[in-house]
Amino acid sequence: MTPTFENLAENESLSQAERLAFIDFRLRYLGEIARSDLIDEFKIGQATASNDLKRYKVLRPENTDRNNTSRTTIATDSSFSPLIMLNVHTALNFILRGFCRNELLTRPPYLPAGSIDALMTTDTLQEKNVVAITRAIHSQSGIQCCYLSSSSENHDERVLFPTAIFVDRGHWYFRAYDRNAKAESCGFKNFKMARIKSAIQLPQDKPAFHESMSQDEAWHTLLPLQLAIHSECQNKSSLAKEFGFVDGKKTLVCKAAFAYIVKKSWHIDVGDGGNSFYHFTLENSESLRQIKCADNLFK
């Protein structure tokens, strides 16, 4: 059974246990770690960082190899055995917000408190699939996978080039270029991690220039969504208070790549004729329709 961080801290000093956990996390989700990564993260000297890597090698001798060309320690996937238990949602939080020892510890709250465990959400994440995605982003390479789309019956294998991850209310997504996309459509799309099936990293398959993140116009474009409380809304005052509207108005600014998800989660009527339950009306829809990379807002 894989030990917890508390188990590790019982045998090592707390500070070294933290650094060993960081090594374990980097190897699992990014596939490699350099001595400089430890130095930058913990502000330690070269000798301490070298000793930490040696200690990790003693504890998990089959987990790593040395890449002398890049001077990094790399994960050996065939024999990798995690040093500590690490929930996949916690690992994704580390990638998004930075490594934090407190997320590894189980401690009582200062006040009566509770949380809805990420595992209770509809997202059921498979670690091996998430690892393939995060390593591909880190190494700028591709993955081969099946994706169970909600809008298409096409579940064939496809080659994706992941570029970024993001989260919306507990649902994890990744942005990627779909090499199998139809010629007339934009190759950059959002994919829900929980819908990925049997992802395999393709370390040697690198994106072409048009498949790289720099060419994702929707990721780099910000859209101002000028919202008003919807005319058919029954609880206008409480909704305005909850969402911080002033005189019934509010402007949200989001990446064009996020626009469709924001529309759905905020229940925004964009004037596309859909019969749905709405909280808000998009008042500048006509001007946003002129922006090519805002297309998915009106799907």
Side-chain angles (χ1 to χ4, degrees):
M1 183 177 178
T2 306
T4 64
F5 178 73
E6 283 90 346
N7 297 146
L8 182 64
E10 288 173 1
N11 300 314
E12 316 289 332
S13 68
L14 183 60
S15 57
Q16 185 169 45
E18 181 180 13
R19 298 194 298 272
L20 291 170
F22 177 75
I23 294 170
D24 199 50
F25 154 70
R26 288 269 319 196
L27 289 170
R28 287 161 77 179
Y29 284 88
L30 302 185
E32 64 175 4
I33 187 169
R35 186 172 61 179
S36 59
D37 295 320
L38 280 162
I39 293 170
D40 292 342
E41 181 72 25
F42 297 103
K43 312 305 178 191
I44 56 176
Q46 292 186 10
T48 302
S50 295
N51 286 335
D52 290 334
L53 290 168
K54 289 176 183 176
R55 181 60 181 158
Y56 185 87
K57 185 71 173 176
V58 169
L59 295 171
R60 287 293 185 271
E62 304 298 321
N63 276 12
T64 62
D65 256 325
R66 181 72 180 168
N67 185 326
N68 292 320
T69 302
S70 62
R71 302 180 71 179
T72 58
T73 298
I74 59 174
T76 50
D77 295 337
S78 59
S79 57
F80 193 90
S81 174
L83 180 62
I84 62 165
M85 292 172 58
L86 182 62
N87 178 276
V88 64
H89 290 269
T90 302
L92 287 169
N93 277 330
F94 286 167
I95 293 172
L96 190 67
R97 300 185 176 91
F99 185 80
C100 177
R101 180 177 73 194
N102 289 338
E103 292 226 23
L104 300 173
L105 292 166
T106 304
R107 287 179 172 171
Y110 291 109
L111 294 171
S115 65
I116 299 175
D117 195 305
L119 294 178
M120 295 180 191
T121 70
T122 55
D123 270 4
T124 304
L125 302 179
Q126 301 295 319
E127 184 184 68
K128 62 183 180 61
N129 294 335
V130 174
V131 164
I133 294 164
T134 55
R135 288 189 184 187
I137 295 172
H138 180 66
S139 62
Q140 296 184 32
S141 59
I143 63 170
Q144 182 175 301
C145 68
C146 292
Y147 184 71
L148 305 178
S149 174
S150 62
S151 59
S152 170
E153 293 300 318
N154 180 13
H155 302 322
D156 295 340
E157 258 187 7
R158 62 178 89 190
V159 174
L160 305 177
F161 291 93
T163 57
I165 66 171
F166 61 97
V167 64
D168 174 57
R169 302 186 182 189
H171 299 291
W172 287 96
Y173 297 81
F174 67 101
R175 187 81 173 161
Y177 186 92
D178 184 354
R179 186 170 276 179
N180 302 85
K182 294 179 181 178
E184 67 272 14
S185 66
C186 173
F188 289 101
K189 301 176 183 178
N190 298 329
F191 297 89
K192 219 171 188 179
M193 286 191 182
R195 291 187 182 146
I196 285 286
K197 183 181 179 182
S198 62
I200 301 171
Q201 188 190 2
L202 306 173
Q204 307 308 317
D205 202 346
K206 302 297 183 181
F209 179 69
H210 71 278
E211 299 169 328
S212 63
M213 188 181 192
S214 65
Q215 300 306 296
D216 186 356
E217 186 180 357
W219 184 263
H220 299 290
T221 300
L222 295 177
L223 300 179
L225 307 183
Q226 296 173 5
L227 306 180
I229 304 293
H230 200 276
S231 60
E232 297 180 7
C233 183
Q234 300 300 311
N235 55 339
K236 293 183 176 61
S237 58
S238 59
L239 201 64
K241 178 70 174 176
E242 180 181 354
F243 286 85
F245 277 59
V246 177
D247 296 327
K249 308 282 186 180
K250 185 181 181 73
T251 298
L252 288 181
V253 178
C254 72
K255 289 179 180 289
F258 298 167
Y260 179 81
I261 295 172
V262 172
K263 178 185 77 169
K264 290 294 186 182
S265 62
W266 278 61
H267 301 288
I268 301 171
D269 182 358
V270 299
D272 55 3
N275 295 317
S276 183
F277 165 76
Y278 296 119
H279 283 328
F280 312 113
T281 300
L282 181 67
E283 294 200 314
N284 60 331
S285 62
E286 288 307 312
S287 61
L288 293 178
R289 286 179 189 275
Q290 309 306 311
I291 303 174
K292 184 179 179 182
C293 64
D295 287 353
N296 67 350
L297 181 60
F298 303 99
K299 289 180 179 178

